[in-house]
Amino acid sequence: MSNHAKPLSIRDALYEQPGPRTRRRVAIGTAITAVLVIVGIGLIIRQFYITGQLAPRYWTFLAQPTTWRFLLQGFRGTISVALAAGVIALVLGAVLMLGRTSGIKPVAAVCRVVTDFFRGVPSLLLIYFFFLVVPQYGIRLSSFWMITLPVALAASGVLAEVLRAGVNAVPRGQVEAALSLGMRPGRIMMKIVLPQAIRFVIPSLISQLVVVVKDTTLAYVVSYPDLMQNARVLITNYDALVSMYFTVAVVYILVNFAINKLSALVAERLGVKIIR
């Protein structure tokens, strides 16, 4: 076997390469789907035209500098929440992962329950908890923290499992070798296992930021002035539902596309193969 043989990816290992007939079917299906999508978009645009949603009065306000300044204020709010929630989720996820892999059964059991709880509960429900329940106990939080904390908690459960997958990907032989040299388990985790685990999952950690950014759109519940909330204000002022939501959708798509590109770039720099 050649030393330069290309390593199998997970996809290659799980699925065999399609044959000529399957490739033809995939190509035909892709072409049909593309045509249907184009036709569907055309019908939507036609309906917008019939209902007058393409009239200039619904779009000209987008050329005003004040519109974009107001949206930029909301965008800064979105980025602030996303970054704060991402940092909190990463720290809490690491704590939950360390607890679950600690080998101490009570601690591992508690961390598993907490992780599964945060993974299973919708972000919106957590937001309502901080918005409606927490103030009843005399705890007053600003709208920033009423959206940041729930989003962070929901993401922490996912990040804990991502980090645990990275830890499990580190060859067990390295841990056994370190134990044979007399290293303590905690030191092995911090010095040997965790640095490699983070390297394995950095692309996934960055990609999870996409989910965090999307969850910030629920800020309207607590009236936090994020991009979506400011867009709602403009919709009310200009009665421009379609044009405003279309603009905001483009902004979110571009942001999430940039995050995915960053994830791919980091993976390439670290030599981590990701499946596309």
Side-chain angles (χ1 to χ4, degrees), residues 180-257:
S180 67
L181 294 175
M183 292 183 67
R184 295 181 178 179
R187 186 173 179 81
I188 294 173
M189 174 63 74
M190 293 300 175
K191 295 294 185 180
I192 298 176
V193 176
L194 201 54
Q196 296 184 73
I198 292 176
R199 175 179 173 272
F200 291 150
V201 301
I202 275 182
S204 298
L205 295 178
I206 297 176
S207 296
Q208 182 61 26
L209 187 58
V210 172
V211 179
V212 172
V213 171
K214 290 191 293 186
D215 280 350
T216 62
T217 58
L218 300 172
Y220 71 89
V221 175
V222 297
S223 299
Y224 176 75
D226 73 325
L227 178 60
M228 184 63 72
Q229 178 67 12
N230 283 13
R232 289 171 179 268
V233 174
L234 292 174
I235 290 173
T236 302
N237 290 342
Y238 293 98
D239 192 27
L241 182 68
V242 173
S243 58
M244 196 67 259
Y245 276 145
F246 175 78
T247 302
V248 171
V250 170
V251 172
Y252 277 111
I253 289 172
L254 291 176
V255 170
N256 292 331
F257 178 77

Side-chain angles (χ1 to χ4, degrees), residues 90-103 107-108 111-112 115 156-157 159-168 189-190 193-194 197-198:
L90 181 59
V91 173
L92 182 55
V95 171
L96 292 172
M97 180 277 295
L98 291 172
R100 190 165 179 183
T101 58
S102 64
V107 175
C111 289
R112 179 176 182 176
T115 299
S156 66
L159 292 182
E161 289 299 280
V162 169
L163 291 170
R164 191 167 70 93
V167 168
N168 291 335
M189 174 63 74
M190 293 300 175
V193 176
L194 201 54
I198 292 176

Side-chain angles (χ1 to χ4, degrees), residues 35 44 53 68 136 146 156 208 225 231:
V35 171
I44 293 173
Q53 290 296 323
W68 288 102
Q136 296 182 11
M146 281 194 288
S156 66
Q208 182 61 26

Side-chain angles (χ1 to χ4, degrees), residues 24-47:
R24 284 196 299 270
R25 290 177 178 174
V26 170
I28 293 173
T30 301
I32 293 174
T33 302
V35 171
L36 292 176
V37 169
I38 292 173
V39 171
I41 293 175
L43 292 175
I44 293 173
I45 294 175
R46 179 177 179 272
Q47 187 63 30

